[in-house]
Structure formats: C-alpha cells, structure tokens
Amino acid sequence: MDAPAPERRDEGYGQTFARDRSAGLHSGVMSERVVWLCEELGLKYELINYGRSPLFAPTVYKQMHVLGAAPVIEDENGRLAESAACVEYIAQVYGNGRFFVKPGEKGYSEFLYWFHHANGTLMPALMRLYSLQGAGVSDPENPAVKRSAERVDAVLSAMDAKLSGTQYLAGDEFTAADIMSLVCVTTIRQFAQMDLKSYPDVLKWMRLCSEREGYRRAMAKGDPEMDLEAQLGARSPPQFAGIDKAKAKAVEEKQWRSKA
C-alpha cells in the first residue's frame, strides 16, 4: 500500500483511511490494526493523526464520531467506527476477503474465535487491570486487583497454550485474528502495565508478527516515534506519558474548583 506520510500531531490519537482519494482513516491505539491491514493488502490510503488531549480523544475528533471512538474509516459509503468492523470492512470490500478464513474452509471456527477473542475477552481483561491501576488501586491483596490479575493470567495462559502448537492464532497461516490481537500485548501495555515473561509462546508470536514488512511499515507511518523493541519485550514498555499529564490536569482542576 502506497500512502503519503502521516501528519504527526503530538502523541497521535486518530488517523484516516482512504482509497483513491475516496476514503479516509481517523485513528487511535486500536487503529494500528487498520493501518497494518491496509499495508498488508497493499492499499492506497490517506492517514491523518490527531494528538490526545492529553489522554482521551481531542474535541475535533468527536466531530467524526459522537463517542470520540477511534479508528474511524471513511469512503464513498460513509464513515465506520469500531476497529473490528473496520478491519472486516476493509478486508472484504477492498481485499477480497484476504486474511479472513471463509465459512466451510479449514480452521474457520478457530479463526472466528480468535478474531473475536481480541475485543471480547483479551481487551476487557486488560482494561479492567488498567482501570484499577488508573484509580490508584494496586495492592495485589486487594480482592478486585487479585481477581483482575487472575483473569489476565488465565486469558494469556490460554493464548500461550494455543500458540505453543501453532505459529499464529488461527493456525500456521497469518490472519486478521493476529492483526486484531497483537496491539493488546504491545501498545496497550503502555496503559495496562504487565510482564509477559510467563508467556514465552506469546512472546515468540509477537516477534513473528512484528517481523512482517506490513507491520513495520504500518508502525513507521502510524506511530513513527514508538520504540518497537520496547513493545515486544517481556518487560512492560514505559507508561504512556499522557497518563501522568491527565492526572496532573485533574489535580489542577480540583484545586481550581476548591478555590472557586
């Protein structure tokens, strides 16, 4: 996929997908999935990045989606949000179903499970952990923290067991299930901090996916300042800088209200 260099604004929130000037992609963290798929398919697209403010969607982004959801893709048929929907739409409309296992083909049920596992199981487990960390609840003996950690371990252990027998999540062929899942254990760890040393086959799979030229191109265009090696190691990458900025802003607002 040939694409113009993305416009970089602060710590990228959103991006826009375009084909032959008829479409666009506006993105956030989950947009890695969409840019990566476009690169794998060799599509032409326009990519627009937006800065976080300082952690969540900037006001301008909410003009594209009422919830400020990212990514948002746009073509002659209109706008579409939700990363899974965007990935499926692009693969089916622009990629002739490539990277999707079709009904009746071998491994269809495995593919379907792992494609939806990313947003239905893995992300919710990680976001519960992130929410607790963000609220300052970190005591490992806290019942909520303990349950959250146990759930994350159970989910990652199941993923590790699956990858001990296959190269990729849906088998030995790379699919959209891998595109959907990788960001959860790379970039998302800037928000939900965790160590992956107990999941060697997950780490092996992460490295395998990251070596794809499409992934490298996507990350260079979508987040050129990211340290990819830090995302791919067992140790959690550094926390996203916007988290501390958001906390500082909240303290300032609280102090201002107390003086008002």
Side-chain angles (χ1 to χ4, degrees), residues 153-231:
D153 177 60
V155 171
L156 289 174
S157 292
M159 195 171 170
D160 196 66
K162 168 62 179 176
L163 289 167
S164 68
T166 60
Q167 282 194 302
Y168 297 101
L169 286 169
D172 289 325
E173 297 293 329
F174 176 78
T175 70
D178 303 294
I179 290 175
M180 287 294 297
S181 301
L182 184 63
V183 65
C184 302
V185 289
T186 54
T187 308
I188 288 299
R189 287 194 295 150
Q190 293 183 38
F191 301 85
Q193 301 263 287
M194 76 193 76
D195 194 297
L196 298 178
K197 64 183 178 183
S198 297
Y199 316 103
D201 287 297
V202 169
L203 288 168
K204 181 178 68 176
W205 163 79
M206 288 163 57
R207 181 66 60 177
L208 181 64
C209 288
S210 74
E211 290 171 352
R212 295 183 66 88
E213 291 184 8
Y215 178 76
R216 294 282 171 166
R217 289 195 304 270
M219 297 308 294
K221 293 175 180 178
D223 205 338
E225 296 172 12
M226 180 181 288
D227 180 354
L228 280 184
E229 289 305 309
Q231 316 304 311

Side-chain angles (χ1 to χ4, degrees), residues 1-4 17-18 35 38-39 43-47 221:
M1 158 196 305
D2 297 323
F17 161 85
V35 182
C38 290
E39 290 293 332
L43 301 179
K44 293 180 180 180
Y45 64 98
E46 178 186 6
L47 180 64
K221 293 175 180 178

